[in-house]
Amino acid sequence: MPSMYVNVSKMDQEKKDALVEKLYDAAVPVLKAPHIYTFVKEYETLYENGKPLADQKMVVINLEAGPTKVEKVDALAEAMQGAVQEVLGADKKLTVVYHDNALDRIAIGGKTIATSMAKKD
């Protein structure tokens, strides 16, 4: 199951809900997953080079999902950039870090997904 970890400056719940909904809408056509879990980490201050920034324009998403082609990651990043700007404003910039998780690298309930899916002899 894909997971999104969204790092964003503090915002009211209504705006946060709208952002997560738009990000989900942008991700689901590319990821084609039945469930996408989103974790939102709000920060008080964004620092650049050890100094606080007065202008909080950055949103960072770490996305963990299955292997995919570069073209799909590009499409995903473009759609998510649009979602961020639609909800938070045209001056917001999005960084997406895509973690390519193969089924032999993810364990649920103590077993890798690959092991769980393997046929029994």
Side-chain angles (χ1 to χ4, degrees), residues 7-106:
N7 294 288
V8 65
S9 59
K10 287 226 179 249
M11 62 182 65
D12 64 52
Q13 189 64 45
E14 187 175 304
K15 189 175 275 192
K16 186 171 28 175
D17 291 346
L19 177 62
V20 170
E21 183 177 352
K22 292 290 184 183
L23 290 171
Y24 171 80
D25 290 345
V28 78
V30 176
L31 299 179
K32 295 183 170 103
H35 302 283
I36 299 174
Y37 292 100
T38 305
F39 302 88
V40 178
K41 173 68 173 164
E42 295 175 283
Y43 55 82
E44 292 282 340
T45 307
L46 177 63
Y47 294 84
E48 182 179 40
N49 301 331
K51 304 288 184 203
L53 286 174
D55 203 359
Q56 307 285 307
K57 293 183 179 180
M58 180 58 66
V59 177
V60 177
I61 295 176
N62 285 282
L63 195 122
E64 296 182 356
T68 193
K69 295 178 181 174
V70 172
E71 295 82 13
K72 286 190 175 187
V73 176
D74 285 342
L76 182 64
E78 185 177 341
M80 291 179 130
Q81 174 67 51
V84 165
Q85 289 179 325
E86 183 179 338
V87 176
L88 302 179
D91 64 334
K92 297 295 186 199
K93 297 296 178 213
L94 172 67
T95 297
V96 175
V97 181
Y98 191 90
H99 299 275
D100 193 341
N101 291 333
L103 297 179
D104 62 346
R105 302 286 183 229
I106 302 170

Side-chain angles (χ1 to χ4, degrees), residues 101-108 110-120:
N101 291 333
L103 297 179
D104 62 346
R105 302 286 183 229
I106 302 170
I108 298 174
K111 289 186 179 181
T112 65
I113 295 171
T115 300
S116 298
M117 291 175 65
K119 292 182 181 178
K120 307 284 186 217

